[in-house]
Amino acid sequence: MKDTFKHQGLRQQLVNTIKEKGITNDNVLKAIGKIPRHLFMDSGFLDHAYQDKAFPIAANQTISQPYTVAFQTQLLQVEKGHKILEIGTGSGYQTAVLCLLGATVYSIERQLELFKITSKFLPKLGYRPKKLIFGDGYKGLKEEAPFDSIIVTAGAPMVPKALLGQLKIGGRLVIPVGEDVQTMTLFVRKGPKDFEQREFGEFRFVPMLEDKN
């Protein structure tokens, strides 16, 4: 669990890379600069940890490209104390970013293997989400709703209605929508049945799983 000066230097290079790609939110950049991404990956990939690329993790899933993590987080407009639902805990890297920004994070993971690994691992690094849940992200987390924002870290073929319904008025849902290639989509809840929708280009994610393990 070492985080060396070398790692820290590589992280600063990564921060510069995503800055050049258009990430402007200072708090998001600081979080990427602080979190030891190499610890969220298999040690065989250590050389790749601070490249701006997605990499495989357990259960045929991936740790998202840092730029994508930063881009989605920037769209959320996270403020301290925000209650956020994350769909797809994965390795916990995005979860750590949200925790570091001061959010109260509820995160759902569909893959039991990943859920078990990440629930033990995150607290060891000092990142403490409010709740990690093994379950179906399509259903959201009705008992804890409404949320200030919801982030989906897997490609969804369609937008789950349950997630839109669990947003506060003014709340934001950031979700990659599509089958093979996804369009990053932001929904802002303007009223009980009124949503503003904006699209932010193409991304590639692993598919969002429903009722599978």
Side-chain angles (χ1 to χ4, degrees), residues 1 39 117-129:
M1 301 283 270
L39 299 180
I117 295 167
T118 305
S119 359
K120 286 188 183 135
F121 171 70
L122 272 176
K124 275 184 190 166
L125 285 185
Y127 302 109
R128 299 185 188 281

Side-chain angles (χ1 to χ4, degrees), residues 1 26 30 32-33 41 60 69 82 85 98 100 102 111-113 117 121 148-149 157 183-184 187 189:
M1 301 283 270
D26 269 348
K30 277 179 195 157
I32 299 289
M41 294 162 70
N60 294 324
V69 170
H82 268 189
L85 175 63
L98 297 172
L100 204 54
Q111 300 276 3
L112 188 56
E113 181 189 355
I117 295 167
F121 171 70
D148 290 294
S149 52
T183 301
M184 192 66 75
F187 291 89
R189 189 169 199 173

Side-chain angles (χ1 to χ4, degrees), residues 3-205:
D3 186 30
T4 64
F5 283 124
K6 184 188 174 186
H7 292 127
Q8 290 159 28
L10 290 169
R11 274 206 294 284
Q12 285 318 307
Q13 287 174 19
L14 175 61
V15 168
N16 294 337
T17 302
I18 63 172
K19 222 174 173 175
E20 282 164 16
K21 289 185 179 181
I23 301 301
T24 54
N25 184 304
D26 269 348
N27 291 334
V28 173
L29 291 166
K30 277 179 195 157
I32 299 289
K34 200 169 180 183
I35 296 168
R37 186 173 185 252
H38 62 282
L39 299 180
F40 290 80
M41 294 162 70
D42 189 298
S43 57
F45 289 125
L46 281 187
D47 292 349
H48 304 285
Y50 296 109
Q51 293 177 14
D52 190 25
K53 289 178 181 172
F55 275 97
I57 53 171
N60 294 324
Q61 301 300 297
T62 58
I63 179 171
S64 288
Q65 181 182 352
Y67 170 73
T68 306
V69 170
F71 189 86
Q72 284 194 283
T73 309
Q74 183 164 281
L75 282 181
L76 287 182
Q77 297 183 357
V78 183
E79 288 175 26
K80 212 169 185 171
H82 268 189
K83 190 175 178 185
I84 297 183
L85 175 63
E86 177 188 31
I87 308 299
T89 318
S91 67
Y93 181 68
Q94 173 73 71
T95 321
V97 170
L98 297 172
C99 288
L100 204 54
L101 292 173
T104 302
V105 185
Y106 296 79
S107 188
I108 301 176
E109 177 51 56
R110 193 78 213 92
Q111 300 276 3
L112 188 56
E113 181 189 355
L114 273 179
F115 170 75
K116 284 178 172 169
I117 295 167
T118 305
S119 359
K120 286 188 183 135
F121 171 70
L122 272 176
K124 275 184 190 166
L125 285 185
Y127 302 109
R128 299 185 188 281
K130 180 81 174 171
K131 214 176 199 180
L132 291 175
I133 302 109
F134 170 59
D136 184 351
Y138 276 88
K139 295 173 182 164
L141 198 60
K142 203 176 175 183
E143 63 272 26
E144 296 293 348
F147 295 94
D148 290 294
S149 52
I150 299 175
I151 179 172
V152 178
T153 64
M158 47 49 167
V159 181
K161 283 201 170 74
L163 299 185
L164 289 169
Q166 290 173 25
L167 281 177
K168 282 181 182 173
I169 305 295
R172 304 164 80 84
L173 165 65
V174 174
I175 180 169
V177 185
E179 298 279 355
D180 297 328
V181 175
Q182 292 82 32
T183 301
M184 192 66 75
T185 311
L186 167 68
F187 291 89
V188 181
R189 189 169 199 173
K190 296 295 190 181
K193 291 185 177 173
D194 184 22
F195 293 87
E196 180 188 292
Q197 180 179 345
R198 290 170 65 196
E199 293 181 350
F200 293 88
E202 291 185 346
F203 288 78
R204 282 182 186 272
F205 283 79

